[in-house]
């Protein structure tokens, strides 16, 4: 169902019967979702990669290293959480999210701060219960922010199933030195920016915008890097707009 006409690549769905109006709307929604998905590399064949190794090929030594690191992944996440260049309040927010203790309305209800009649719906979409994984990962606008940021870092990925899995993966990924410093703060910056946006929505009724949030995340990461890495010669603007040149 995936078609390619010249440079245009699109999904072309064929249905056995004409669609009803509401179904057509669903197809449009699906198209939009697919457009945001990682792009398919249609000219290369599918292959298996051993992601633990940068070469992509399996070795017993790398499997051993991976197993040891999995065993200590909580240590890796703790390290990433606290040993980085983000301000302490941002680190603390990330730690709360990791431990599932962010003060969402569902959490506040559970510990008895909000009474049982209070709404525990997500403030942003008002469609699902407000739990950490929904607010920080799965809410469509938030998912777009993650996708934008991963594109910025020149990575293609599939959204992990929970904040915990995301952080485990993040902590095990290594970059070159300059970017590695930024890398560790990226999930913290994303979660902090989303949570701050959510709180501004709660207190001032401010509408959260995905593109604006993505930009904010990049600027925050760039500013923290500039402030704490002595001799970092790149401009904030370069980090935000030309990260690939810095990575090279
Ligand atoms: Zn929501």
């Amino acid at each position: 169902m995936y078609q390619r006409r010249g440079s245009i690549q699109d999904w072309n769905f064929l249905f056995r019967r004409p669609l009803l109006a509401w179904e057509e709307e669903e197809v449009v929604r699906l198209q939009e979702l697919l457009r945001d998905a990682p792009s398919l590399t249609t000219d290369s064949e599918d292959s298996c990669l051993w992601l633990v190794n940068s070469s992509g090929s399996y070795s017993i030594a790398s499997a051993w290293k991976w197993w040891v690191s999995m065993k200590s992944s909580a240590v890796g996440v703790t390290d990433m959480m606290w040993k980085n260049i983000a301000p302490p309040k941002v680190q603390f927010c990330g730690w709360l999210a990791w431990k599932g203790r962010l003060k969402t309305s569902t959490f506040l209800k559970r510990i008895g701060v909000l009474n049982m009649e209070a709404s525990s719906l997500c403030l942003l979409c008002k469609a699902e219960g407000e739990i950490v994984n929904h607010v920080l990962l799965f809410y469509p606008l938030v998912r777009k922010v993650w996708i934008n940021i991963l594109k910025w870092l020149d990575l293609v990925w599939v959204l992990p199933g929970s904040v915990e899995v995301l952080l485990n993966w993040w902590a095990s990924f290594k970059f070159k030195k300059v970017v590695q410093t930024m890398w560790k703060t990226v999930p913290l910056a994303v979660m902090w920016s989303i949570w701050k946006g959510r709180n501004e929505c709660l207190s001032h009724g401010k509408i959260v915008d995905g593109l604006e949030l993505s930009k904010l995340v990049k600027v925050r990461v760039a500013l923290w890097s500039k402030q704490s890495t002595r001799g970092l010669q790149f401009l904030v603007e370069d980090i935000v707009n030309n990260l690939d040149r810095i990575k090279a």
Side-chain angles (χ1 to χ4, degrees), residues 218-230:
K218 296 175 194 174
V219 172
R220 282 186 175 133
V221 171
L223 282 174
W224 300 337
S225 310
K226 286 290 286 181
Q227 276 162 10
S228 58
T229 315
R230 213 179 298 160

Side-chain angles (χ1 to χ4, degrees), residues 20 39-40 51 62 80 88 145 157 197 228 245:
L20 303 172
S39 55
L40 296 177
L51 287 178
S62 69
M80 179 175 75
V145 174
W157 76 335
S228 58
R245 241 180 282 158

